[in-house]
Amino acid sequence: MSLALTALPPIAIRLPSTGEYPVKVGPAPGSQVQLSAARRKNLEFEPLSTTALILEDRPSNLPAKSVEEAMRHKQEYDEMVAGAKRRELKEAQKKKRRMKERFKQEDSIANAMVIWNNDVLPNWDCMRNTRRVRELWWQGLPPSVRGRVWSLAIGNELNITPELFEIFLSRAKERWKSFSETSSENETEDSGSLQADRESSLDLIKLDISRTFPSLFIFQKGGPYHDLLHSVLGAYTCYRPDVGYVQGMSFIAAVLILNLEEADAFIAFANLLNKPCQMAFFRVDHDLMLKYFAAFEVFFEENLPRLFNHFQINNLTPDLYLIDWIFTLYSKSLPLDVACRVWDVFCRDGEECLFRTGLGILRLYQEVLLQMDFIHMAQFLTRLPDDMAADNLFSCITATQMLSSNRKWGQVFSALMKDGSKEMANHSPAPRS
């Protein structure tokens, strides 16, 4: 595909002063623009595209195309047009498939919403554990009922009321006010009690809120949910001064705020963090955390032996990636829509889901991780790809069997707890007579 233009050779002239030596000369610098303009005037057309170069005949001052060249150019043009049509058709088909999938998804959500609102939620206690509801639950909760289902599934064993939330929120506001009015020196000379020390972590909340889902721009200062997140976290810090505020809590509270009203979000948040697994991690109970890691590795080796051995060889232990995943219930590590689907199943299945999801992630990226060394694996697992698709992850979670030697997660974890208790008893001092 070309336009044959014959280049004129340089002119050799003999200068009188030098006699013998031919010199190559071109146009004078000042005449370059004039020469270009003259050339354009000699052309009978100005090509606007590669298509024009193929189809148009050459200007009259140039040799005409041969029959073979003209036919070749015509064939190239036809191929270009056919290729463009194929691309357009392919793009149209892709768009049609996307629209079809979207309509299908919307219909599925609408149908599920009717079932949840009309059948499941009014009969929660007798319906929640039925096979039909559990299967529907696995497919993901409709956004319109997600918050209510989460609240019911998490429960309220702590019997927290909206009025109690207001009491602890008022206490948090008083503490914030005292921070602004008193110096840090006076603050350290306060009561010196554990409660005062834990509640002083309120000032850490402000720093962490700005880092919570920064791409959404809704929890940062000036955003519509900034004050709500601040209130829930502050109230919890005063409600549980023995735990205080721990980095990562803001992501959990933020997800709840996106799906629940303020008081309901606080109630769900406090009850969720009171679960054994969350409490072990947020209170940094090292012995209990090690038991969870050990149980995780039992199922890791069972499901993904090649990757397990690769991790063992590279000394990559679960604490290097699992802690961050568990601390935020995957809300920081996964795309928000994917994290919400993980939460759906977590509310259904409890702590087992958290470790099964971890194994699902490892399965999803197994081939990639097998090619990496320690540093790159650790970096990859602490910053997972942003384009992870929920369906791909859940296919890997489905393929993960939480069964080892006919023992389920709870049985394996209980056995590890008993072994730990025996070990502690064996190392305890003998009772005095």
Side-chain angles (χ1 to χ4, degrees), residues 245-309:
Y245 177 75
V246 180
Q247 203 168 28
M249 286 182 177
S250 62
F251 281 89
I252 297 177
V255 173
L256 290 169
I257 286 170
L258 288 173
N259 292 277
L260 292 162
E261 296 297 327
E262 186 178 9
D264 293 329
F266 174 78
I267 294 169
F269 182 71
N271 279 277
L272 187 57
L273 266 56
N274 197 53
K275 304 293 183 184
C277 181
Q278 279 61 56
M279 193 55 67
F281 278 79
F282 281 113
R283 298 191 75 168
V284 197
D285 185 332
H286 291 288
D287 291 335
L288 196 50
M289 289 169 69
L290 288 174
K291 296 294 186 298
Y292 278 111
F293 294 149
F296 174 79
E297 289 200 298
V298 169
F299 293 96
F300 186 1
E301 185 175 16
E302 189 82 24
N303 282 276
L304 305 166
R306 278 200 308 147
L307 189 60
F308 177 80
N309 290 332

Side-chain angles (χ1 to χ4, degrees), residues 14-127:
R14 191 184 299 273
L15 296 177
S17 58
T18 57
E20 296 297 325
Y21 300 101
V23 179
K24 296 177 182 179
V25 296
S31 65
Q32 184 67 43
V33 176
Q34 295 177 354
L35 182 59
S36 298
R39 284 177 179 169
R40 284 199 299 271
K41 286 180 180 178
N42 288 333
L43 293 176
E44 295 179 357
F45 74 100
E46 288 206 30
L48 301 178
S49 66
T50 54
T51 306
L53 290 174
I54 292 173
L55 292 181
E56 295 288 345
D57 292 329
R58 291 200 184 99
S60 58
N61 62 328
L62 295 175
K65 293 181 182 179
S66 66
V67 176
E68 293 80 5
E69 186 178 9
M71 290 180 64
R72 188 176 74 250
H73 285 183
K74 175 77 166 56
Q75 183 180 357
E76 290 172 355
Y77 172 74
D78 291 341
E79 289 175 358
M80 288 172 58
V81 172
K85 288 181 178 179
R86 285 195 299 270
R87 287 193 296 273
E88 288 177 4
L89 180 61
K90 190 175 181 180
E91 187 61 34
Q93 290 173 341
K94 190 185 295 184
K95 185 177 180 181
K96 186 177 180 180
R97 283 196 302 270
R98 285 199 300 264
M99 292 296 293
K100 188 176 180 180
E101 285 295 322
R102 182 179 173 184
F103 291 144
K104 183 180 178 181
Q105 187 178 18
E106 288 176 353
D107 288 342
S108 177
I109 291 173
N111 293 334
M113 187 172 61
V114 171
I115 296 171
W116 280 102
N117 282 322
N118 295 347
D119 300 337
V120 183
L121 290 174
N123 306 288
W124 175 254
D125 291 332
C126 61
M127 290 284 290

Side-chain angles (χ1 to χ4, degrees), residues 8 12 14 128 157 160 165 178 192 260 270 315 344 355 357 384:
L8 298 176
R14 191 184 299 273
R128 63 174 296 179
E157 292 181 355
I160 301 173
F165 164 64
S178 71
L260 292 162
N315 294 316
D344 292 343
F355 298 95
T357 298
L384 295 169

